[in-house]
Amino acid sequence: MSQNHDARAAQVGPWVIDTREIGHRAGSSHAYRRSAPAPAGFGLDMIKVPEGEPVELDLLAESVVEGVLVSGTAVAHLAGECVRCLDPISEELEVEVRELFAYPDSATDVTSDDDEVERVVDDLVDLEPVVRDAMLLSLPSAPLCSPDCQGLCSECGVKWAELAPDHTHETIDPRWAALQERFGGTEEEN
């Protein structure tokens, strides 16, 4: 029995809820407030929750007939860069979490495919995949530092916000480039 208890203690972490605290009696519930470190992969290429950054969980786990219903919020700090100007972005993301974890051999467990519903395994509920999915779905695929960000000049790479309003680059028709090299000046001058 000591080995079984040690194995359970090793499985329980900040992302895992032990449902024995709630019991299998429908209607019983338990509130959880905890901070869990973000694992790698909590984001997209341009914006993410940095690995190890705390994710604040404020959840209510309720025992229902078919399993454990977990609902509440997850809040995390995001870091990334603007897709237009590449300036750093730092903001906070709050997502709603609501997921049913089916008891083994319940009607939901028996009638659902493995990827349709989460499961209670050895009286434990792993919140990490559910929170990760909710956060990934809430992240912008093209994050901006501000809605009116103009980005970078495609010629010189300087931010448009830092350039004069009359900023331009002379573009030479490639068909006339050889003549300009030979005689000098611009097209208008020749």
Side-chain angles (χ1 to χ4, degrees), residues 4-5 7 22 29 38 43 53 57 65 75 102 108 114 116 123-124 126 135 146 149 179 182 187-188:
N4 200 10
H5 183 267
I22 304 164
S29 64
E53 185 75 25
L57 304 172
V65 173
V75 180
T108 302
D114 288 342
E116 288 182 318
D123 291 324
L124 300 175
D126 186 5
M135 288 199 165
S146 69
C149 178
L179 288 175
R182 181 171 181 146
E187 288 180 25
E188 290 81 25

Side-chain angles (χ1 to χ4, degrees), residues 44-47 80-89 139-147 149-153 159:
L44 306 172
D45 289 338
M46 296 300 286
I47 193 162
E81 37 184 52
C82 177
V83 295
R84 291 185 186 159
C85 69
L86 304 177
D87 275 357
I89 297 174
L139 291 175
S141 58
L144 299 174
C145 59
S146 69
C149 178
Q150 297 173 346
L152 304 173
C153 173
K159 287 176 59 173

Side-chain angles (χ1 to χ4, degrees), residues 29-66:
S29 64
H30 191 274
Y32 295 91
R33 293 194 91 162
R34 58 176 70 172
S35 182
F42 246 57
L44 306 172
D45 289 338
M46 296 300 286
I47 193 162
K48 62 184 167 190
V49 179
E51 186 174 354
E53 185 75 25
V55 178
E56 302 300 326
L57 304 172
D58 187 6
L59 304 169
L60 178 67
E62 301 172 84
S63 181
V64 294
V65 173
E66 293 298 311

Side-chain angles (χ1 to χ4, degrees), residues 177-184:
L179 288 175
Q180 182 179 359
E181 287 177 16
R182 181 171 181 146
F183 298 109

